Amino acid sequence: MKDQPSVMTGRFSGLSSKLIATIIGVILLVEIVVYLPSLASFRSTWLEDRLRVGVVAARVLDAVPDVMALPRDLTDRLLNSAGANAIVYRREGQSQMIELTNPVMPDSVVTADLRQGDLPSRVWGALDTLFAGPGRTLRVVGAGDMNESLVELLMPEAPLRRDMIDYSRSIALVSLGIAAVTAFVLYVLVSRLFIDPVLRATANMLAFRKAPENAALVLTPSARRDEIGILERELADMESELFSMLRQRRHLADLGLAVAKINHDLRNTLTAAQLLSDQVATLDDPKVQRLAPRLVTTLDKAIGFAQSVLDYGRETSAVPQFAPVGLRALVDDAGFEARVVGHPVILFRNEVDDALVVDVDGSQMNRVLVNLIKNAREALETAASERRDFYIAVSARSDAERTVISVVDNGPGLPPRARENLFVAFEGSARSGGTGLGLAIAREIVEAHGGVLALVETGQGTRFDITLPARRQDG
C-alpha cells in the first residue's frame, strides 16, 4: 500500500500560505487600481499649483502698460515661485512672456494640457512623467482667469518626477502596511472559520484510515449549520457506518470460516452415509426398497447444498478479462454444460445469430448462462409430469449502445417467494432444497461487466435478460 501524504503541520503551510498570498495579492491589485488615478490626481494638483503662479504673473503683465517693463527682481520671484524657466500669457491674439535672464533652449519638450480633464489622459500623462528620462522640459498649458486667455509655463520636468516618486514610495509603504494588517486579520478569521475545521477533518480521515476499527477515531461533528458542519456530520456518519461494517465483516468472516469447517466435515459424513445408503438399496427387503430412494434423494440434496456453500465461500471477485467472443458458440457450450442439449423432455433452442460477437470474459459469461439455463431446466423437470412441450430458448439482439441476451422458458414461472428474494444468496431459490446461489453469482458477474441481469415479466414462463454495454472499440 502506498504511503499517504501526512497533514501539513506548519501554520503557514498548505491552504494557509495560499490564503495569505491570495489576500495580499488581491489587496495589492486593488491598491494598484486605486494608485493610478491617485498618481494622476497628484500630478494634476502639482501642475495646477504651478499654473496658479503663472496666472498671477499674467495679471501682473496685464496690469502693466505695454511701454513699461517689469523689474527683474519681480520676474525672478514669479519664475522661482512657479519653478519655471518662462511664463507666457496669451489673450486676444497677443502674447506676453516672462523668462530667465539667460534662457536655455530645451532639447525635448512635452506638453501637459490641463484643460483635458478625462481620466485616461491624466493617467497616461502621469505614467509618462514617472518613467521619463532626465532632461525633459514640460510645457504646461492652462486657462487664465479671463475669457479666452491662456497661460503657459516652460519648466523642467525633473522636480515633478522627483515628487511623484516620493509620493509613489509613500503610497507603496502604506499599501504594504494595509495589505499586511488586512491579510493577518482575514487569515485569523478565515483560519478559525474554515482552515482549522478542514485541517481537523483531514487529520481525522488520515488517522481513521490507518485504524478504521478504532471507534475512538470517529469524528465528533460540531454544531455548525453551514457546509462545513454538513461535511463533518456526513464524515462522522460515514466513519461510524464503516466501523460497524468492518466489525460485522470480521464477525461474518470468522463465522464463515467456522461454517466452512463444519460444512466440510458434514459433507464427508454425508458422503459416507450416501455410500452406506447405496449398499442398503441393494437389499431385497421390500421396506428397504421403498425407503431407500427417498434416503438417497435426501442425501444427494444435503451433499449438493454443502458443496454449493463451499463453492460460494471460495468464490473470488476476479476482474473480467474482456475479449471478443462469438455469442452463439458460447450459448451452445452453456447448453451442453447445463445438460439440456439432447434432453428427452426439454427442447433447447439457440436463436443467437452466428455473426454476433460480444466483448466479455468468456469463462465468466459462460457461468452466467449455465446458471440461468440450469435453473430453467430444473424448473421444467419438476413440472415434466404435467406436460411434455417444454423448451428453453436463448436469443440476443444488439444495437450501437447495448447487447441484450434473453434466456426464456415456457415453464410454470417463478413462485412468489423466489421473486421477492431474487438474487439473494440462500433466499432466492425456486426449488426445494436449493441455495439460490446461482442467480446471486450470475448477477455479480454481469454487474462486473458493467451490465444488468433482470427478470422480465412475460405472463407465462420465465425470462431473464442480460443487458451488456456495446462492444468496446479499442485503439
Side-chain angles (χ1 to χ4, degrees):
M1 182 179 294
K2 295 182 179 180
D3 295 334
Q4 297 294 321
S6 60
V7 180
M8 297 217 169
T9 56
R11 169 53 65 180
F12 297 101
S13 60
L15 288 176
S16 301
S17 60
K18 295 177 182 178
L19 175 63
I20 293 176
T22 301
I23 293 174
I24 293 178
V26 170
I27 293 175
L28 291 179
L29 181 61
V30 172
E31 290 290 345
I32 290 174
V33 173
V34 174
Y35 162 73
L36 292 177
S38 177
L39 182 65
S41 178
F42 175 84
R43 176 176 178 268
S44 296
T45 302
W46 194 95
L47 293 176
E48 287 171 356
D49 290 341
R50 302 306 185 274
L51 187 63
R52 289 192 189 97
V53 179
V55 172
V56 172
R59 290 179 182 176
V60 173
L61 288 173
D62 194 53
V64 176
D66 295 339
V67 295
M68 295 181 59
L70 290 175
R72 174 51 55 184
D73 58 345
L74 178 58
T75 59
D76 290 342
R77 285 198 303 270
L78 291 174
L79 292 173
N80 290 333
S81 299
N85 296 332
I87 299 175
V88 179
Y89 176 56
R90 305 181 187 276
R91 182 169 65 89
E92 297 179 354
Q94 298 180 355
S95 299
Q96 294 177 285
M97 183 175 65
I98 302 174
E99 61 179 349
L100 295 175
T101 306
N102 297 312
V104 178
M105 295 300 295
D107 295 331
S108 176
V109 178
V110 177
T111 300
D113 194 343
L114 299 183
R115 295 171 298 175
Q116 296 179 352
D118 59 295
L119 182 60
S121 299
R122 293 167 59 190
V123 171
W124 178 254
L127 293 175
D128 181 61
T129 299
L130 187 63
F131 295 103
R136 290 203 318 184
T137 296
L138 195 61
R139 175 174 171 262
V140 184
V141 180
D145 58 350
M146 299 183 67
N147 293 334
E148 299 183 358
S149 62
L150 291 178
V151 177
E152 298 181 11
L153 277 69
L154 289 177
M155 56 187 300
E157 193 178 32
L160 172 60
R161 183 172 177 272
R162 183 172 57 252
D163 289 347
M164 290 177 62
I165 292 175
D166 293 339
Y167 175 79
S168 300
R169 187 180 296 112
S170 300
I171 290 293
L173 292 176
V174 172
S175 299
L176 289 176
I178 294 175
V181 173
T182 306
F184 176 77
V185 173
L186 289 178
Y187 167 76
V188 173
L189 180 62
V190 174
S191 290
R192 290 182 62 87
L193 293 178
F194 304 107
I195 302 298
D196 289 346
V198 171
L199 290 177
R200 174 172 170 262
T202 304
N204 174 264
M205 285 189 290
L206 293 176
F208 186 81
R209 173 189 168 275
K210 295 179 181 178
E213 297 186 8
N214 185 356
L217 296 178
V218 175
L219 179 69
T220 302
S222 63
R224 296 177 61 152
R225 298 289 183 179
D226 56 10
E227 288 81 357
I228 290 183
I230 296 174
L231 170 65
E232 292 176 342
R233 288 189 290 275
E234 291 298 324
L235 179 60
D237 292 343
M238 183 187 68
E239 290 178 347
S240 299
E241 293 175 2
L242 183 60
F243 168 78
S244 301
M245 183 183 67
L246 290 177
R247 174 166 289 188
Q248 183 182 25
R249 178 176 291 182
R250 185 179 64 182
H251 291 173
L252 290 176
D254 295 339
L255 181 61
L257 181 61
V259 171
K261 293 179 179 179
I262 295 173
N263 204 37
H264 184 271
D265 295 338
L266 178 62
R267 190 188 59 160
N268 293 336
T269 302
L270 292 174
T271 302
Q274 186 182 37
L275 294 176
L276 180 61
S277 67
D278 291 341
Q279 296 177 1
V280 171
T282 61
L283 298 179
D284 295 333
D285 191 321
K287 293 184 178 180
V288 173
Q289 291 295 326
R290 186 173 68 254
L291 297 177
R294 297 182 180 179
L295 177 62
V296 171
T297 301
T298 301
L299 290 175
D300 285 342
K301 289 182 178 180
I303 293 173
F305 183 85
Q307 185 62 46
S308 298
V309 173
L310 290 176
D311 292 341
Y312 185 74
R314 289 193 295 264
E315 179 71 20
T316 58
S317 301
V319 177
Q321 302 298 316
F322 292 92
V325 177
L327 184 56
R328 183 176 180 85
L330 192 65
V331 172
D332 283 336
D333 293 341
F336 180 81
E337 294 180 28
R339 293 184 297 170
V340 293
V341 176
H343 196 280
V345 178
I346 302 170
L347 174 64
F348 178 66
R349 303 203 307 252
N350 186 351
E351 301 174 354
V352 178
D353 191 286
D354 290 333
L356 184 57
V357 176
V358 290
D359 200 40
V360 297
D361 187 311
S363 61
Q364 292 189 15
M365 194 54 59
N366 172 268
R367 186 172 184 182
V368 173
L369 293 171
V370 168
N371 280 332
L372 295 177
I373 297 173
K374 179 182 176 183
N375 287 346
R377 174 182 62 79
E378 292 174 347
L380 297 180
E381 286 176 344
T382 303
S385 60
E386 303 175 3
R387 37 189 287 207
R388 310 288 293 181
D389 60 341
F390 291 123
Y391 69 86
I392 299 174
V394 181
S395 60
R397 60 186 185 276
S398 181
D399 55 32
E401 297 182 356
R402 62 182 182 173
T403 298
V404 180
I405 306 170
S406 300
V407 180
V408 183
D409 68 68
N410 63 340
L414 292 176
R417 180 181 179 277
R419 292 174 179 270
E420 294 174 0
N421 300 282
L422 202 62
F423 307 120
V424 179
F426 305 106
E427 296 289 342
S429 177
R431 60 186 177 86
S432 176
T435 62
L437 297 177
L439 287 178
I441 294 174
R443 183 183 66 169
E444 290 181 356
I445 294 175
V446 172
E447 289 179 348
H449 281 71
V452 177
L453 174 61
L455 173 67
V456 180
E457 297 292 342
T458 58
Q460 182 181 3
T462 305
R463 171 181 166 184
F464 283 95
D465 278 0
I466 304 170
T467 303
L468 299 173
R471 179 179 176 183
R472 300 178 302 175
Q473 299 297 326
D474 298 330

